[in-house]
């Protein structure tokens, strides 16, 4: 199995997730439904915290990139686990606040924060702005000036590194829409500018290279470029950065072909590269943060669907339709992302029937996964589990075709389960229609 929270019932027939019977959960809550394994989320947070403190030092904190899955209960969990968070909109800030999250531990990203986002975040006491560009720097300065405060910021830089992942989720290259390039000299200019502003407390720098990254040494190269820049700023401007945030992006296992990622080992490798660079450059090691999103929640999640119609087109293709689709699981439609699909109530049967698992939306691209191996007895009413679905599913869900968004059910302690987000009703669908 791709993750250790997937097991099989004693009689061999049912898929268990976080120790609980998925077929029973489908019966209890209906489908489609998102499941989240709270114990796995907490385990990941603790692994990151331990690794950061051990390798980067006691002040280093992992920041959960909440765009991966954002709702009240998860901010509560992050608060209890003493995690920092990365937020990207007033909506995420509002949700975190509603959960009682202490916003002073939050880092506000986005390449285009509006004036009202900036005012709202400051009013609520956001810890840091991760400033993306010069217009934004001035807007933050103006708002901080109006409020007579000194606002902590990091500057987001692009170190010019290709992470070898999907083009749509690469962000660290020089021509990215995010951040300020180091290579062109613009990073130095904005650093100088930030240092000259009265209401700006420049704490350091940030970069994020990409997401679902497995390529060797991407983070190490990122750290080296950023530390060289920090050393350059010390030499040129006499400014020594206090913090360095190396972004998120560690890959997770969607299929058996994806490698396992050892968090402690990965963090230790980045820390070693950073410490070696600091030594070589003659600078202090800044407080280092990273912003894992996917690698905290992805394999803590699953979507359950019920099979509807099955279409066999002899000599061409087979289709197995399920009762959700790209509205709740958009990643195949967007990136052709790979996944593992399992027949959750037929785990004891051989999988020798090849089919495309497709959604119910009126669009040919509404595909969950192609070339899926399923039992040949697959039929209406069977349960399909889409694994590794805890990141960028609910948070990217839409109401396309006016489909209500599914509920999120949290599983914990081997036998408890509770509703963390109610499923939308048809009334919810028309709530804002006048
Ligand atoms: N920090 C920043 C500034 C980011 O932009 C992101 C992700 C992260 C951290 C977290 O990266 P992670 O650890 O989750 O890889 N919708 C796409 C992923 C987009 C990622 C956007 N930024 C997907 O479904 O694959």
């Amino acid at each position: 199995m791709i993750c250790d929270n997937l097991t099989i019932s004693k009689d061999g027939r049912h898929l268990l997730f976080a120790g609980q019977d998925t077929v029973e959960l489908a019966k209890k809550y209906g489908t489609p439904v998102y499941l989240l394994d709270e114990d796995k989320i907490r385990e990941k947070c603790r692994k990151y915290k331990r690794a950061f403190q051990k390798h980067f030092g006691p002040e280093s904190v992992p920041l959960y990139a909440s765009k991966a899955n954002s709702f009240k209960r998860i901010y509560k969990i992050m608060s209890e686990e003493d995690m920092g968070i990365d937020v990207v909109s007033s909506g995420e800030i509002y949700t975190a606040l509603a959960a009682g999250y202490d916003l002073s531990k939050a880092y506000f990203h986005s390449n285009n924060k509006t004036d009202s986002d900036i005012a709202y975040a400051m009013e609520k006491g956001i810890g840091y702005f991760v400033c993306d560009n010069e217009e934004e720097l001035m807007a933050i300065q103006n708002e901080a000036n109006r409020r007579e405060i000194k606002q902590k910021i990091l500057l987001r830089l692009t170190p010019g590194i290709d992470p070898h992942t999907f083009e749509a989720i690469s962000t660290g290259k020089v021509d990215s829409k995010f951040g300020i390039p180091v290579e062109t000299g613009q990073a130095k200019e904005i650093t100088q500018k930030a240092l000259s502003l009265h209401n700006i407390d420049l704490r350091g720098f940030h970069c994020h290279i990409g997401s679902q990254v497995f390529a060797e040494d991407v983070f190490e190269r990122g750290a080296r470029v950023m530390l060289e820049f920090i050393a350059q700023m010390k030499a040129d401007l006499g400014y020594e950065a206090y913090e360095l945030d190396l972004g998120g992006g560690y890959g997770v296992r969607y299929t058996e072909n994806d490698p396992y990622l050892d968090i402690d080992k990965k963090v230790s490798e980045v820390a070693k590269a950073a410490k070696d660079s600091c030594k070589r450059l003659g600078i202090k090691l800044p407080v280092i943060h990273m912003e894992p999103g996917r690698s905290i929640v992805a394999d803590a999640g699953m979507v359950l669907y019920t099979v509807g119609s099955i279409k066999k087109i002899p000599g061409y293709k087979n289709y197995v339709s399920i009762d959700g689709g790209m509205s709740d699981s958009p990643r195949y439609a967007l990136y052709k992302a790979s996944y593992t699909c399992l027949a959750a109530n037929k785990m004891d049967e051989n999988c020798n029937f090849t089919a495309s698992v497709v959604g119910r939306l009126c669009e040919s691209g509404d595909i969950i996964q192609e070339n899926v191996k399923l039992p040949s007895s697959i039929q209406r009413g069977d349960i399909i589990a889409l694994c590794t679905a805890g990141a960028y599913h609910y948070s990217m869900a839409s109401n396309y075709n006016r489909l209500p968004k599914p509920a999120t059910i949290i599983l914990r302690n081997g036998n408890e389960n509770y509703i963390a987000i109610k499923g939308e009703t048809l009334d919810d669908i028309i709530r804002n229609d006048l």
Side-chain angles (χ1 to χ4, degrees):
M1 294 273 207
I2 49 174
C3 184
D4 62 6
N5 55 1
L6 295 168
T7 48
I8 294 175
S9 60
K10 282 210 180 75
D11 63 8
R13 287 168 48 216
H14 289 185
L15 176 68
L16 308 186
F17 187 50
Q20 304 193 36
D21 188 319
T22 56
V23 181
E24 294 302 319
L25 289 164
K27 236 184 251 161
K28 178 169 174 186
Y29 292 106
T31 60
V33 65
Y34 297 115
L35 304 180
L36 268 185
D37 172 356
E38 180 174 331
D39 302 330
K40 177 60 83 187
I41 295 173
R42 290 185 187 273
E43 174 195 316
K44 290 287 185 63
C45 292
R46 289 170 197 178
K47 268 193 184 161
Y48 269 112
K49 279 200 70 177
R50 268 200 305 271
F52 277 34
Q53 287 177 1
K54 181 165 142 205
H55 301 297
F56 293 146
E59 282 182 274
S60 166
V61 192
L63 314 173
Y64 167 60
S66 64
K67 61 179 81 66
N69 203 339
S70 170
F71 58 100
K72 276 166 62 176
R73 178 70 199 158
I74 205 153
Y75 291 109
K76 187 100 193 344
I77 293 173
M78 292 305 146
S79 195
E80 287 165 2
E81 293 298 329
D82 204 17
M83 295 278 287
I85 56 167
D86 136 2
V87 289
V88 291
S89 69
S90 294
E92 287 186 355
I93 292 172
Y94 187 83
T95 312
L97 282 172
Y101 188 86
D102 170 7
L103 217 56
S104 71
K105 295 190 294 184
Y107 288 64
F108 187 10
H109 288 267
S110 154
N111 66 312
N112 190 17
K113 303 167 190 74
T114 63
D115 289 346
S116 68
D117 285 334
I118 292 169
Y120 178 68
M122 243 180 243
E123 180 191 319
K124 298 299 178 190
I126 193 91
Y128 293 72
F129 281 85
V130 181
C131 175
D132 184 273
N133 55 66
E134 191 162 338
E135 284 95 333
E136 186 176 300
L137 177 63
M138 294 317 296
I140 296 169
Q141 158 62 26
N142 292 341
E143 187 63 29
N145 184 35
R146 211 173 62 76
R147 291 171 189 272
E148 298 179 352
I149 61 164
K150 214 166 166 78
Q151 177 63 53
K152 285 192 279 192
I153 71 159
L154 301 181
L155 288 172
R156 178 166 181 168
L157 310 183
T158 42
I161 287 170
D162 183 351
H164 302 293
T165 180
F166 308 121
E167 187 57 30
I169 54 177
S170 294
T171 48
K173 294 193 272 178
V174 179
D175 59 357
S176 171
K177 81 162 180 173
F178 297 100
I180 309 125
V182 171
E183 190 182 302
T184 58
Q186 287 160 295
K188 180 178 171 185
E189 284 165 27
I190 197 167
T191 303
Q192 248 167 327
K193 180 91 195 174
L195 291 172
S196 74
L197 298 173
H198 278 305
N199 301 87
I200 296 290
D201 177 8
L202 179 62
R203 303 282 290 172
F205 302 100
H206 167 276
C207 70
H208 171 75
I209 298 166
S211 199
Q212 184 60 4
V213 174
F214 282 117
E216 282 291 311
D217 86 350
V218 164
F219 294 94
E220 288 83 334
R221 284 191 288 139
R224 274 183 218 114
V225 174
M226 295 297 286
L227 288 162
E228 275 160 22
F229 179 77
I230 287 174
Q232 197 64 49
M233 293 307 97
K234 186 180 172 198
D236 293 357
L237 310 176
Y239 168 70
E240 197 158 4
Y242 179 72
E243 290 180 45
L244 172 61
D245 179 345
L246 294 171
Y250 284 129
V252 300
R253 268 165 71 79
Y254 287 100
T255 70
E256 301 285 353
N257 299 328
D258 294 322
Y260 284 99
L261 217 131
D262 179 338
I263 292 173
D264 184 76
K265 182 161 172 284
K266 281 284 157 193
V267 173
S268 80
E269 287 164 2
V270 179
K272 180 172 184 320
K275 285 174 190 165
D276 289 350
S277 295
C278 287
K279 211 178 204 175
R280 178 170 54 83
L281 297 161
I283 54 172
K284 278 204 308 280
L285 181 73
V287 175
I288 297 193
H289 305 299
M290 291 178 92
E291 303 161 341
R294 188 191 314 266
S295 54
I296 289 182
V297 285
D299 58 15
M302 172 182 280
V303 197
L304 296 179
Y305 298 108
T306 303
V307 172
S309 55
I310 291 172
K311 198 167 281 179
K312 297 178 181 167
I313 311 174
Y316 289 88
K317 215 170 185 175
N318 301 313
Y319 288 102
V320 170
S321 305
I322 45 90
D323 55 353
M326 63 191 284
S327 50
D328 54 71
S329 294
R331 298 190 66 258
Y332 187 86
L334 276 170
Y335 319 117
K336 290 232 174 324
S338 300
Y339 280 100
T340 301
C341 294
L342 301 169
N345 58 326
K346 292 186 167 166
M347 295 300 288
D348 54 342
E349 295 187 24
N350 285 334
C351 292
N352 42 23
F353 175 68
T354 306
S356 290
V357 174
V358 296
R360 59 180 297 198
L361 290 96
C362 293
E363 180 150 331
S364 299
D366 173 27
I367 297 169
I368 295 292
Q369 197 62 202
E370 294 187 280
N371 294 315
V372 179
K373 296 278 185 209
L374 292 167
S376 52
S377 71
I378 194 89
Q379 61 185 5
R380 195 176 184 88
D382 283 342
I383 302 296
I384 297 264
L386 180 67
C387 303
T388 326
Y392 304 111
H393 277 246
Y394 171 70
S395 61
M396 291 174 75
S398 75
N399 293 116
Y400 187 34
N401 284 196
R402 294 241 129 173
L403 292 188
K405 288 182 196 159
T408 293
I409 308 302
I410 291 196
L411 317 179
R412 66 177 178 194
N413 297 335
N415 58 2
E416 292 170 31
N417 48 71
Y418 65 94
I419 301 175
I421 309 171
K422 285 196 289 185
E424 285 179 348
T425 62
L426 293 176
D427 274 335
D428 291 328
I429 292 288
I430 60 162
R431 171 158 300 153
N432 294 327
D433 294 12
L434 299 175

